[in-house]
Amino acid sequence: MSALPPPPYYAVIFTSQRTAVDSGYADTADRMVALAAAQPGYLGADSARDADGLGITVSYWRSEEDIAAWRRHAEHRVARDTGRSDWYQHYTLRVARVERAYAWQRADGLQDPAALTSNEERA
Amino acid sequence: MSALPPPPYYAVIFTSQRTAVDSGYADTADRMVALAAAQPGYLGADSARDADGLGITVSYWRSEEDIAAWRRHAEHRVARDTGRSDWYQHYTLRVARVERAYAWQRADGLQDPAALTSNEERA
């Protein structure tokens, strides 16, 4: 799970429904994860996909300029084109400014409800 | 997949790692989806969970006040408490302001690359 830098920063929320076409998908997805992580301003990403093919990937970025630069990356453009021709039935993409963030972590073997609550409430 | 209202609006990005404890989880998750959808200012939600237990739920709201009201909902509070005691190993929660949104949909049987590109670039 990606780390929590201090806000504000930006989230790119990519929600997609896959087609049945698998050819090249996993390799390209892995490559895009690695390539994104090497870009300026990249802060982390999380991804999950249901058995029925609905997936959500959220990547986090320092600024809108960093998102725009990643969008212009040549290899990323090619991957997006193949996504539209082969892998996706439909998708939505939202750019959002993260204003607040919280984390909670289970205390190993020690569940103090008061501690958990204060942990969740911190900013 | 949730609809795209005109920005700005707010996203609550909930990323979680499940424990192995399943008792009551699916019923409560279904109930929270239905209950959230009945709250003022609710605009939609998407959810996906990997086979390894990492999940992302993004819910969309008209305003921060609507998010705060949903956070205070009594039944939602109980579900969150049970989530911390039983279902989640760790989680992060981010509140973000959606500033831009795009959608792309496969044209049935008609794949015109120019049309697809302009479709993605709109908004």
Side-chain angles (χ1 to χ4, degrees), chain A residues 1-4 9-11 13 15-17 19 46-50 54 56 60 64 71 83-106 111 120-121, chain B residues 1-4 9-11 13 15-17 19 46-50 54 56 60 64 71 83-106 111 120-121:
Chain A
M1 205 178 294
S2 60
L4 283 182
Y9 53 95
Y10 287 83
I13 306 167
T15 307
S16 62
Q17 182 67 49
T19 60
D46 296 303
S47 203
R49 188 170 300 277
D50 267 356
L54 181 81
I56 302 174
Y60 298 103
E64 297 217 65
R71 184 175 164 79
R84 287 189 291 264
S85 65
D86 292 4
W87 299 319
Y88 296 120
Q89 191 63 39
H90 51 107
Y91 61 71
T92 57
L93 189 145
R94 293 170 173 94
V95 177
R97 182 179 186 268
V98 178
E99 312 210 328
R100 301 194 307 279
Y102 309 85
W104 175 81
Q105 168 97 41
R106 178 174 300 277
Q111 293 189 37
E120 198 213 9
E121 302 285 346
Chain B
M1 202 178 298
S2 60
L4 283 182
Y9 53 95
Y10 288 83
I13 307 167
T15 307
S16 63
Q17 182 68 48
T19 60
D46 297 303
S47 202
R49 189 170 299 278
D50 266 357
L54 181 80
I56 303 174
Y60 299 102
E64 297 216 63
R71 183 175 165 78
R84 285 188 292 264
S85 66
D86 292 2
W87 299 318
Y88 295 119
Q89 192 63 39
H90 52 107
Y91 61 72
T92 57
L93 190 145
R94 293 171 172 95
V95 178
R97 182 178 186 271
V98 176
E99 314 209 328
R100 300 195 305 281
Y102 309 84
W104 176 81
Q105 169 96 40
R106 176 175 301 277
Q111 292 188 39
E120 196 212 12
E121 302 283 346

Side-chain angles (χ1 to χ4, degrees), chain B residues 72-89:
Chain B
R72 287 190 304 266
H73 191 288
E75 198 175 337
H76 186 203
R77 280 178 186 270
V78 171
R80 290 203 305 273
D81 287 347
T82 313
R84 285 188 292 264
S85 66
D86 292 2
W87 299 318
Y88 295 119
Q89 192 63 39

